Amino acid sequence: MQRTPALLAVLALLGTACVPGRRPASGPEAESSDTATRHLVRPVPLTPSFRDAVQRGTRTLAGAPGSRYWQQRVSYRIEAELDPRTATLRGRERIVYRNHSPVPLRALVLHLYQNLFREGVPRNRFAPITGGVTLERVAAAGQPLAERPLAQIPVLTLPEPGAPVGYAVQGTLARLILPRAVVPGDSAVLEIDWSFHVPPSGTFRTAWQDTLGGRAFQVAQWYPQVAVFDDVRGWDATPYLGEGEFYLEYGDFEVALTLPAGWLVGATGTLRNPQEVLPAEALRRLAAAAGSDSVTRVVSEADAASGRATLPGRDGRLTWRFYARDVRDFAFAASDRYVWDAVRADVPAGEGADTTASRGVLVHALYRPGAPGWGEAARHAQRSLEGFSRLLVPYGYGQLTLAEGSVGAMEYPQILFIGKPDSERRLFGSIAHEVAHQWFPMMVGQDEAAFAWMDEGITEYHESLAVAERFPEGPDPFLEDLASYLAVAGSEREVPLMRHIDLVAPHGEPGVAAYRKPATLFRSLRGIVGDSVYWQALRTYAREWRFRHPYPWDLFHTVERVAGRDLDWFWYPWWWETGTLDYAIGGVEAGEGGSVRITLRDLGDIPAPIAVVVTAEGGAVSRAEIPIELWTVDRLRTATLALPVYGAPLRVEIDPEHLFPDVNPENNVWVAPGAQPR
C-alpha cells in the first residue's frame, strides 16, 4: 500500500455560506504532552497465503488480478424431477471440471448442502430434519466410485497420497479420490445421481410453503456442487453450518426441471423451450413484455385457476429447460398458483459505450395472489436493476426473476427469493438489496462466509441509497444502520469484520458484523475519498474481478490505487479490531479578529478526518476539515483551532452529516447559552 507524506498541520476552510470573502482557519495547537501511541493505527496485515499468491504473480498489491491469475471452470448438466406432493426432488448430473491451476488434482471436494438437514450434522442455525441427500450413484470418467470410511479418505483434511479411489462424506462435504489425477489443462467428468426431500417452511434459503391458496417451492443448494479451488488457499473445504453463505466456482448450467403441468417455474438462466411449456397467449404476452417498460401480466390468476397457465404436457408433466452461462450457482422456484408479471429493464449496453445505448433485460415476478404489495414487485426490481447498472457496471445477464415464497430474502444468480414484507418500503428494500447482490457476489465472486462484509456490507449500503431515494420522507436508512452498529459498538457482542461469519454467532451479532457496521463504513469511505473516487473505485473493482474471486486485500488495494492515497489507518482498526471512534468538543470561546477558538478532543481508539461546522447569527456557516494526519502522524489527542465566523457563534458541531460512527454523539455539539437547540 502506498504512503503519502503527512500534510502540514493546517486546516483549510472549505466553504463559507452566505458570506462574501473567505479567510483561512488558523492551524491547531496541541498541548505539549497531549500525544499518544495509536495501537490501532498500523499497516494492514497480509496473510501468508495471500502474500505467496502475490509472489507467484496471481495477485498484485495494486488490487488487480496478477498476470498469472488462474481460475477453475465447471459445467453442469442436470436433469431433475420435483414431486410437489411429497416434496421429493430426484436428479442426475454430469459435471465437467476443468483444471486451469498449475498443479495436478487427484482429489476433488463436493458440497452436499442438503446434509445440513440430516440428523447429527453440525449446524449453527435451526434446521428441520429431512434426512439430507442420498447419493445413489457417483462415478468419475465412467467408473463407479465406492463410498469409503473417513479413515481411508479424510474429508476436512488432505488425504494421504496412497488414498484409495472412492469417496467419503462428512457432514455437508464429500471428498472424491479420482482414478487418475486431473493434470493442468485437463478435465474430469463426474456423474452423480441423488435425491432428497425439500425442507418445509420455517427454515432458511430453501423451502416449500402452503399458504395463499397453494404450495410454492423455493429451491436452492439442491445439487452436489464442486467446491472452489483457488490460487490463495487451495481447496475451500469449509463445512456449511447454516449461518455462513457460499464461495462457488463460475461455470455453465444446462438444467432440465420436470414438474406437473400447471406449475410455473422460474430459475437461473434463460428458458430455452418456452414453446414446449407455455400456451400461445402466454407466449404472446411474454413477447410483448420484452419490448415494453410497462408491466405485462403474462399468466393471470384466472389462467392458473383454469389450468391455462401451461400446456397440458405429456402424461401430465412438463420439462422446463434453462441455460445459464458464467454463473456460480443455480436455483429455481415453482408453484401452480403463481401469477406471472414481466417488464423490460433498460441497462447500459456496455462500459465505454454511448450512454444513450441500452439493452433490454426481462424482469419476471412470480407470486401467489394475495402476497402483499407484489403487484409492484416487477417494477421495484426494474428500477433497482436500472439504477445499480448506472452506478456500478452494467448487469451482466439477460433476465432476472423474483419468486415469492417462505424464504424471506435470498439471492441467487438471476433469481431472487423474496417473502411477504408488511409494507411497500420493506418490500422495495428487500428487492433492492437482493438485486444489488447480483453484483456482489453474483458477478464479483468473493467468499461470502469467510468475508461476509464483502457482499452484505456493500449491498446493505447500496440498498440504503435506493431506499433513501425511493422514500425520501421515511426513516433515514443510513441512520438505522448506524444505530444498529452503535447499539453493540465496543461491547462483547461486537466482533471484528474479518472474522468468519460462522464464528460470530451465537456470542456476537452477525447482523452487525456482516451488514450494519460495514454498510456504515462504506458510507464513511465515500465521505473520505469523495463521490467520484468511490464510484470509480467500485467500478474498477467490479470490472477487474468480474466472474473472478477477489479477497479483501484486492478490494482495499483497488480503492487505494484509484484514490491515490494510503488508507491503512481506516482499514485496519475498523476491519481487524473493535475499537470505537469518539470525538468531542472540549470548549468554544471567542477568538481574535472575529474568529472562534474550538478545542477538539479525541477520546476514542480510531481516528477520522472529521469536519467542524460553525453556525453564526444570521445563518452564516463556516466549515473546516481536520486532516487525518493530525491524529495519526502528529498523534494529537487535543487540538485547538481558530475558525472565522461572521456574527456571534450559535452552534458548533462535529461531523454534522454523521459520516463517521461516533459512539457518543452527545459531545459532538455545542450550543451557545440561550440559543435554541436544533
Side-chain angles (χ1 to χ4, degrees), residues 614-622 645-651:
V614 178
T615 303
E617 289 179 334
V621 175
S622 298
V645 293
Y646 302 90
L650 300 181
R651 179 184 176 90

Side-chain angles (χ1 to χ4, degrees), residues 156-175:
L156 301 182
T157 58
L158 293 174
E160 296 295 329
V165 173
Y167 73 93
V169 175
Q170 184 173 2
T172 58
L173 292 173
R175 192 180 292 268

Side-chain angles (χ1 to χ4, degrees), residues 347-359 394:
V347 304
E351 283 193 283
D354 181 352
T355 56
T356 62
S358 64
R359 65 179 180 86

Side-chain angles (χ1 to χ4, degrees), residues 129-300:
I129 302 302
T130 65
V133 64
T134 299
L135 299 181
E136 297 165 355
R137 176 176 176 266
V138 179
Q143 176 180 332
L145 302 183
E147 184 172 4
R148 298 187 181 276
L150 291 173
Q152 294 182 359
I153 303 178
V155 173
L156 301 182
T157 58
L158 293 174
E160 296 295 329
V165 173
Y167 73 93
V169 175
Q170 184 173 2
T172 58
L173 292 173
R175 192 180 292 268
L176 281 61
I177 305 298
L178 304 176
R180 65 176 181 85
V182 190
V183 298
D186 200 0
S187 301
V189 178
L190 307 178
E191 295 171 326
I192 307 174
D193 297 353
W194 45 264
S195 64
F196 70 91
H197 294 286
V198 180
S201 62
T203 184
F204 46 93
R205 301 198 178 109
T206 183
W208 60 266
Q209 179 192 54
D210 286 334
T211 190
L212 297 177
R215 178 167 292 192
F217 285 82
Q218 294 168 309
V219 183
Q221 286 79 55
W222 59 284
Y223 57 94
Q225 189 172 27
V226 181
V228 170
F229 182 81
D230 71 18
D231 64 304
V232 178
R233 296 181 301 185
W235 283 111
D236 176 38
T238 304
Y240 176 49
L241 302 179
E243 186 66 45
E245 293 185 339
F246 312 104
Y247 187 32
L248 307 169
E249 294 285 17
Y250 284 98
D252 307 328
F253 286 78
E254 294 182 56
V255 179
L257 299 169
T258 299
L259 287 93
W263 282 70
L264 291 179
V265 181
T268 299
T270 302
L271 179 62
R272 282 288 188 86
N273 65 333
Q275 294 83 0
E276 296 177 5
V277 296
L278 296 175
E281 183 60 21
L283 291 173
R284 185 192 66 78
R285 296 168 182 166
L286 192 58
S292 174
D293 61 1
S294 298
V295 175
T296 299
R297 177 62 54 86
V298 177
V299 174
S300 68

